[in-house]
Amino acid sequence: MMGTTNLVRKILGTHLVEGEMAAGKEIAIRIDQTLIQDATGTMASLQFEAMGVPRVRTEVSVCYADHNTLQTGFENPDDHRFLQTLSAKYGIHFSRPGNGICHQVHLERFGVPGRTLLGADSHTTTGGGVGMIAIGAGGLDVAVAMGGGPFYLAMPKVVQVNLTGRLRPWVAAKDVILELLRIMTVKGGVGRIIEYAGPGVATLSVPERATITNMGAELGATTSVFPSDERTREFLKAQGREKDWVGLKADPGATYDETIEIDLSELEPLVAQPHMPDRVAKIKDVGPIKVDQVMIGSCTNSSYVDMMRVAAVLRGKTVHPTVSLAIAPGSKQVLTMLAQNGALADLIAAGARVLESACGPCVGVGFSPNSGGVSVRTNNRNFEGRSGTADAKIYLVSPESAAAAALTGVLTDPRELGDYPEVSLPQSFLVNDNMVVPPTAESSDVAVLRGPNIAPLPLNTELPGTVEGTVLLKVGDNITTDHILPAGAKILPLRSNIPKISEHVFEAVDPTFVRRAKEEGGGLIVGGINYGQGSSREHAALAPMHLGVKAVVAKSFARIHRANLVNFGILPLTFVKEADYDAVAQGDRLTIEEVGARVRAGDLLTVKNLTKGTSFEARHGLSGREIDIVLAGGLLNYTRKQAN
Ligand code: MIC
Ligand code: SF4
């Protein structure tokens, strides 16, 4: 009999350790590879250390220094030293600062088709470009996976995106994912994995596929995956890793929960307008908006082919006089190849400001726009304020379109530039892993060096019998973790210090939040649809936890943030009726009695509004395991309790 299994179920099936693969049901999967980075990794490492496991129990674990590379004080270099020594001690590869952005480097050097990868970064999904099930998660979940524990998730629905046709000149992989964002929106992927299929797949190279799976994170999707085919083999071979290749695809009659059709040949250059990645329109319809700066880089679009195409567009020309152009090649491999073949000289000659191979401007570390400035970027996120300039406007486009704007000074459909520069994947990439410190063969007695920036791991207390508190803040739909806990050059260095970073919770949304939370001794937050979308930073749960937040009641949650709330003992509740959201106001005093018993008794809790003298119902949607974790005050307490 011919099978009808899709690719997602095949890979999940071979990694399933608990549960039944029925959409919405909790499953647990074995994790083969993990990645952490320097902004999420210090906390994850402290958590891993606390588990007392002598050495990582994965096939490969890597720690990247790529987010916190700006060194305006001791914090970041101290944290890097901590991560490097800890990596040496516990069997983790350490990718040194300068080696590149985690997702780009992981794809180049570590990604293996058919394997699972769990990363403490939302764009870990990039690995789907080589046929991995690669999922972003909070640092604590990744720490557990490093220790050999499984990863728990609700079995997602599988959405087939059937690609037909072929991209026309000047239309890029970025335009494919922007089109999908237009169709599905930033919440359309929640509870779903996107599986790419159809004849269009073979027309896309691995780096192009990786652009698409990378930005699948913006759909809210658990992950995205491409089949592993001859194009995958070609990429791995060029990376000197053909032995890692294995062919993988869905069965011919595979079934899916949903299907979306995209004809690649019909796509045009697209742009995501401020301040959401799904505010997508055709560049030609948005028109020639004046542009102040252009940024080409980030884990979405910093591959060798991306950079070569930009270099070809800029060769012999000059960046428009009123535009500042920055480029950040995604990895040392990319940057070295550009340097060797002369393309870097073309970029510099045209006026590009060359930044190090790191996240940089994508997360507000350097190159912030001028006041009210328009910045055209190849990143994946254009959330308000993320660039470091509160009133800047960020437009997300392909590298081709970004290069066009850099030359003309206005948002430009790149087709206006004329002849399309053909650039193809090189026969072989320049492979030199000298900036990855490999783990020692045996667990070593390396001393882990800690700077004063690293504060002890914060722990929550058990959830009280009655959760009572004031609604400290009521927010609308699509609140991002950048709203909850901003990143940027000033706040990112505090990632290892929860008391210090907690001073910045909701800073840009309501500067009085922290003061009020402290005065009230904690409280509750009310949110709209897709609360906590965006990054995986568990600090967006840890810092509110530190301020005494006990519950968040929202219309719906983003996957990773909900899991982080559970992991740190904050109750994630959803409104049963939309009208109840409207009826509750900031400052209202809410109470949920006998939480422990009620949560175990069923899905519905009664929330009393003491201020208004009313009550409403809220759903917790927690699995049995999650109930135990939340009631214990988080996963660390729960694990400790179990061990005792
Ligand atoms: C991001 O793009 O927002 C980040 C910075 O990479 C985050 C991780 C973090 O906050 O450290 C992410 O995407 O998970
Ligand atoms: Fe780094 Fe930006 Fe990618 Fe996040 S989205 S990993 S900050 S490049």
Side-chain angles (χ1 to χ4, degrees), residues 37-41 66-68 101-103 119-124 136-137 217-218 299 359 362-363 380-381 383 386 481-482 485-488 492 495 534-539 560:
Q37 39 87 343
D38 50 355
T40 55
D66 57 353
H67 285 65
N68 267 335
I101 305 174
C102 52
H103 310 303
D121 193 285
S122 62
H123 293 104
T124 301
E218 277 48 66
C299 57
C359 299
C362 173
V363 68
N380 44 45
R381 293 189 171 140
F383 303 147
R386 183 174 155 107
T481 52
D482 281 289
L485 189 66
L492 271 175
R495 285 291 182 90
S535 96
S536 68
R537 67 189 71 146
E538 60 191 2
H539 302 71
I560 308 179

Coordinates of all heavy atoms in Angstrom, one line a residue, residues 37-41 66-68 101-103 119-124 136-137 217-218 299 359 362-363 380-381 383 386 481-482 485-488 492 495 534-539 560, ligand 1:
Q37 N 22.1 31.2 21.8 CA 22.9 32.4 21.4 C 23.1 33.3 22.6 O 22.6 33.0 23.7 CB 22.2 33.2 20.2 CG 20.7 33.3 20.2 CD 20.2 34.4 21.0 OE1 20.9 35.0 21.8 NE2 18.9 34.8 20.7
D38 N 23.9 34.3 22.4 CA 24.4 35.0 23.6 C 23.4 35.9 24.3 O 23.6 36.3 25.4 CB 25.7 35.9 23.3 CG 25.4 36.7 22.0 OD1 24.4 36.6 21.3 OD2 26.3 37.5 21.7
A39 N 22.2 36.1 23.7 CA 21.2 36.9 24.4 C 20.2 36.0 25.2 O 19.7 36.4 26.2 CB 20.4 37.8 23.4
T40 N 20.0 34.8 24.7 CA 19.1 33.9 25.4 C 19.9 32.8 26.1 O 19.5 32.2 27.0 CB 18.2 33.1 24.4 OG1 19.0 32.5 23.4 CG2 17.2 34.1 23.8
G41 N 21.2 32.7 25.7 CA 22.0 31.6 26.1 C 22.6 31.6 27.5 O 22.8 30.6 28.1
D66 N 26.4 36.2 18.7 CA 26.0 36.9 17.5 C 25.1 38.1 17.8 O 25.1 39.1 17.0 CB 25.4 36.0 16.5 CG 24.2 35.3 17.1 OD1 23.9 35.4 18.3 OD2 23.4 34.6 16.4
H67 N 24.4 38.1 18.9 CA 23.5 39.2 19.2 C 24.1 40.3 20.0 O 24.0 41.5 19.7 CB 22.3 38.7 20.0 CG 21.3 37.9 19.3 ND1 21.5 36.7 18.7 CD2 20.0 38.1 19.0 CE1 20.5 36.2 18.1 NE2 19.5 37.1 18.3
N68 N 24.9 39.9 21.0 CA 25.5 40.8 22.0 C 26.9 41.1 21.7 O 27.8 41.0 22.6 CB 25.3 40.3 23.4 CG 24.0 40.8 24.0 OD1 23.5 41.9 23.7 ND2 23.5 40.1 25.0
I101 N 25.9 34.9 12.3 CA 24.6 34.8 12.9 C 24.2 33.4 13.0 O 24.4 32.6 12.1 CB 23.5 35.6 12.0 CG1 24.0 37.0 11.7 CG2 22.2 35.5 12.6 CD1 23.1 37.8 10.8
C102 N 23.7 33.0 14.2 CA 23.5 31.6 14.5 C 22.8 30.8 13.4 O 23.2 29.8 13.0 CB 22.7 31.5 15.8 SG 21.2 32.4 15.9
H103 N 21.7 31.4 12.8 CA 20.9 30.6 11.9 C 21.7 30.4 10.6 O 21.6 29.3 9.9 CB 19.6 31.2 11.7 CG 18.9 31.5 12.9 ND1 18.6 30.5 13.9 CD2 18.4 32.7 13.5 CE1 18.0 31.1 14.9 NE2 17.9 32.4 14.7
G119 N 16.1 25.5 19.2 CA 16.9 26.6 19.4 C 16.3 27.7 20.3 O 15.1 28.0 20.2
A120 N 17.1 28.3 21.1 CA 16.6 29.4 21.9 C 16.7 30.7 21.1 O 17.3 31.7 21.4 CB 17.5 29.5 23.2
D121 N 15.9 30.7 20.0 CA 15.8 31.8 19.2 C 14.6 31.5 18.2 O 14.6 30.4 17.6 CB 17.1 32.1 18.4 CG 17.0 33.5 17.7 OD1 16.2 33.6 16.7 OD2 17.6 34.4 18.2
S122 N 13.7 32.4 18.0 CA 12.5 32.1 17.2 C 12.8 31.7 15.8 O 12.1 31.0 15.1 CB 11.6 33.3 17.3 OG 12.1 34.4 16.7
H123 N 13.9 32.2 15.2 CA 14.2 31.9 13.8 C 15.0 30.7 13.6 O 15.6 30.5 12.5 CB 14.9 33.2 13.1 CG 13.9 34.3 13.1 ND1 14.0 35.4 13.9 CD2 12.8 34.5 12.3 CE1 12.9 36.2 13.6 NE2 12.2 35.7 12.6
T124 N 15.1 29.9 14.6 CA 15.7 28.5 14.5 C 15.0 27.8 13.3 O 15.6 26.9 12.7 CB 15.5 27.8 15.8 OG1 16.1 28.5 16.8 CG2 16.1 26.4 15.8
G136 N 11.9 27.0 17.3 CA 12.4 28.0 18.3 C 11.6 27.8 19.6 O 10.4 27.4 19.6
A137 N 12.3 28.0 20.7 CA 11.7 27.8 22.1 C 12.4 28.7 23.1 O 13.4 29.3 22.8 CB 11.9 26.3 22.5
A217 N 8.6 32.2 10.9 CA 8.4 32.5 12.3 C 7.5 33.7 12.4 O 6.7 33.7 13.4 CB 9.8 32.9 13.0
E218 N 7.5 34.6 11.5 CA 6.6 35.7 11.5 C 5.1 35.4 11.3 O 4.2 36.1 11.6 CB 7.0 36.8 10.5 CG 8.1 37.7 11.0 CD 9.3 37.0 11.6 OE1 10.0 36.3 10.9 OE2 9.5 37.2 12.9
C299 N 19.5 37.3 9.7 CA 19.4 35.8 9.5 C 18.5 35.5 8.3 O 18.5 34.4 7.8 CB 19.0 35.1 10.7 SG 17.4 35.6 11.4
C359 N 23.9 40.0 14.3 CA 22.6 40.5 14.2 C 22.5 42.0 14.0 O 21.7 42.5 13.2 CB 21.8 40.1 15.4 SG 21.7 38.3 15.7
C362 N 19.3 44.6 13.1 CA 18.1 43.9 13.1 C 17.4 43.9 14.5 O 16.2 43.9 14.6 CB 18.3 42.4 12.7 SG 16.9 41.4 12.9
V363 N 18.3 43.9 15.6 CA 17.7 43.9 16.9 C 18.1 45.2 17.7 O 18.2 45.3 18.9 CB 18.1 42.6 17.6 CG1 19.6 42.5 17.9 CG2 17.3 42.3 18.9
N380 N 13.5 40.4 9.1 CA 12.2 39.7 9.2 C 11.2 40.5 10.1 O 10.0 40.2 10.1 CB 12.3 38.3 9.7 CG 13.3 38.3 10.9 OD1 13.3 39.1 11.8 ND2 14.2 37.3 10.9
R381 N 11.6 41.4 10.9 CA 10.7 42.1 11.9 C 10.8 43.6 11.7 O 11.9 44.2 11.7 CB 11.1 41.7 13.3 CG 10.8 40.3 13.6 CD 10.9 39.9 15.0 NE 10.4 38.5 15.1 CZ 10.9 37.5 15.9 NH1 11.9 37.8 16.6 NH2 10.3 36.4 15.8
F383 N 8.8 45.7 13.9 CA 8.0 46.1 15.0 C 8.5 47.5 15.4 O 9.6 47.9 15.4 CB 8.2 45.2 16.2 CG 7.9 43.8 15.9 CD1 8.6 42.8 16.6 CD2 6.8 43.4 15.1 CE1 8.2 41.4 16.4 CE2 6.5 42.1 14.8 CZ 7.2 41.1 15.5
R386 N 11.8 48.7 17.4 CA 12.8 47.7 17.5 C 14.2 48.1 16.9 O 15.2 47.7 17.3 CB 12.3 46.4 16.7 CG 13.3 45.2 16.8 CD 12.6 44.0 16.1 NE 13.6 43.1 15.6 CZ 13.9 41.9 16.2 NH1 13.3 41.5 17.3 NH2 14.8 41.1 15.7
T481 N 7.0 40.4 21.9 CA 7.9 40.4 23.1 C 8.8 41.6 23.1 O 9.4 41.9 24.1 CB 8.7 39.1 23.0 OG1 9.3 39.0 21.8 CG2 7.9 37.9 23.3
D482 N 9.0 42.3 21.9 CA 9.7 43.5 21.9 C 8.9 44.6 22.7 O 9.6 45.5 23.3 CB 10.0 44.0 20.5 CG 11.2 43.2 19.8 OD1 12.3 43.5 20.2 OD2 10.9 42.4 18.9
L485 N 9.3 43.2 26.6 CA 10.7 43.4 27.0 C 11.6 43.8 25.9 O 12.1 42.9 25.2 CB 11.3 42.2 27.8 CG 12.6 42.6 28.5 CD1 12.4 43.6 29.6 CD2 13.2 41.3 29.0
P486 N 11.8 45.1 25.6 CA 12.6 45.5 24.5 C 14.0 44.9 24.4 O 14.6 44.5 25.5 CB 12.7 47.0 24.6 CG 11.7 47.4 25.6 CD 11.5 46.2 26.5
A487 N 14.6 44.8 23.2 CA 16.0 44.4 23.1 C 16.8 45.7 22.9 O 16.7 46.6 23.7 CB 16.1 43.5 21.9
G488 N 17.7 45.7 21.9 CA 18.4 47.0 21.6 C 19.7 47.0 22.4 O 19.9 46.3 23.4
L492 N 19.9 44.8 25.9 CA 20.4 43.4 25.6 C 21.5 43.0 26.6 O 21.5 41.8 27.0 CB 20.8 43.3 24.2 CG 19.8 42.9 23.2 CD1 20.3 42.9 21.8 CD2 19.2 41.5 23.5
R495 N 20.7 40.8 29.8 CA 20.0 39.5 29.7 C 20.3 38.5 30.8 O 19.6 37.6 31.0 CB 20.2 38.9 28.3 CG 19.4 39.6 27.2 CD 17.9 39.3 27.3 NE 17.2 39.9 26.2 CZ 16.9 39.3 25.1 NH1 17.3 38.1 24.9 NH2 16.2 39.9 24.2
G534 N 6.4 37.0 18.2 CA 7.8 37.4 17.9 C 8.8 36.5 18.6 O 8.8 35.3 18.4
S535 N 9.7 37.1 19.3 CA 10.9 36.4 19.7 C 10.6 35.3 20.8 O 9.6 35.3 21.3 CB 12.0 37.4 20.3 OG 11.9 37.5 21.7
S536 N 11.7 34.5 21.0 CA 11.6 33.4 22.0 C 12.0 33.9 23.3 O 12.0 33.1 24.3 CB 12.5 32.3 21.5 OG 13.8 32.7 21.6
R537 N 12.5 35.1 23.5 CA 13.1 35.5 24.7 C 12.2 35.2 25.9 O 11.1 35.7 26.1 CB 13.5 37.0 24.7 CG 12.4 38.0 24.6 CD 12.9 39.4 24.3 NE 13.3 39.5 22.9 CZ 13.2 40.6 22.2 NH1 12.7 41.7 22.7 NH2 13.6 40.6 20.9
E538 N 12.7 34.3 26.8 CA 12.0 34.0 28.0 C 12.0 35.1 29.0 O 11.2 35.1 29.9 CB 12.4 32.6 28.6 CG 13.9 32.6 29.0 CD 14.4 31.2 29.3 OE1 13.6 30.3 29.2 OE2 15.6 31.1 29.7
H539 N 12.9 36.0 28.8 CA 12.9 37.2 29.7 C 11.6 38.0 29.6 O 11.2 38.6 30.6 CB 14.0 38.1 29.2 CG 15.4 37.5 29.2 ND1 15.7 36.5 28.3 CD2 16.4 37.6 30.0 CE1 16.9 36.1 28.5 NE2 17.4 36.7 29.6
I560 N 5.4 30.4 21.5 CA 6.6 30.3 22.4 C 6.3 31.1 23.7 O 6.7 30.7 24.8 CB 7.8 30.9 21.7 CG1 8.0 30.2 20.3 CG2 9.1 30.6 22.5 CD1 9.3 30.7 19.5
Ligands
MIC1 C1 14.9 38.4 17.7 O1 15.0 38.4 16.5 O2 13.9 39.1 18.3 C2 15.9 37.7 18.6 C3 16.6 38.8 19.3 O3 16.7 37.0 17.8 C4 15.1 36.8 19.6 C5 15.9 36.2 20.6 C6 16.2 37.1 21.7 O4 15.4 37.9 22.1 O5 17.3 37.0 22.3 C7 14.3 35.7 18.9 O6 13.9 35.9 17.7 O7 13.9 34.7 19.5

